[in-house]
Amino acid sequence: MRENLAKSLRYGQLVDIMYVSKCGQITKRRLKVLRFEGDIFQAFCFLRQTKRTFIISNVLALIPVEHRENGII
């Protein structure tokens, strides 16, 4: 998971994640990773429209967002 997050940071690629919050709620988020710090990372969360801090071990799944232009992949 850490390697995929680092790759998205390096290339500025958006990612969709499934995340478990501290209270056990599962959410889907679209993020732009901004930085790493130990076992956490900071990202801009498009769901909340603000910077948020996430625990790497709470990320259940990560999918890079593919950009489409004019319907062409």
Side-chain angles (χ1 to χ4, degrees), residues 1 17-29 31 41 52-61:
M1 192 65 61
I17 66 166
M18 295 297 289
Y19 187 78
V20 180
S21 68
K22 290 180 184 177
C23 63
Q25 184 179 6
I26 297 174
T27 60
K28 180 179 177 184
R29 311 278 182 115
L31 307 176
F41 67 98
R52 306 286 288 213
T53 301
F54 298 90
I55 301 168
I56 293 172
S57 60
N58 287 5
V59 177
L60 300 174

Side-chain angles (χ1 to χ4, degrees), residues 32-73:
K32 178 174 175 61
V33 179
L34 302 173
R35 68 185 179 119
F36 281 98
E37 200 172 296
D39 293 332
I40 62 172
F41 67 98
Q42 189 175 47
F44 182 83
C45 175
F46 290 92
L47 177 67
R48 303 285 186 226
Q49 290 295 306
T50 189
K51 287 182 189 176
R52 306 286 288 213
T53 301
F54 298 90
I55 301 168
I56 293 172
S57 60
N58 287 5
V59 177
L60 300 174
L62 181 146
I63 300 171
V65 175
E66 292 185 23
H67 295 282
R68 292 182 180 192
E69 292 185 28
N70 299 329
I72 300 172
I73 298 176

Side-chain angles (χ1 to χ4, degrees), residues 5-22:
L5 289 166
K7 191 175 183 180
S8 71
L9 174 63
R10 188 176 324 121
Y11 296 111
Q13 186 174 29
L14 302 182
V15 293
D16 285 334
I17 66 166
M18 295 297 289
Y19 187 78
V20 180
S21 68
K22 290 180 184 177

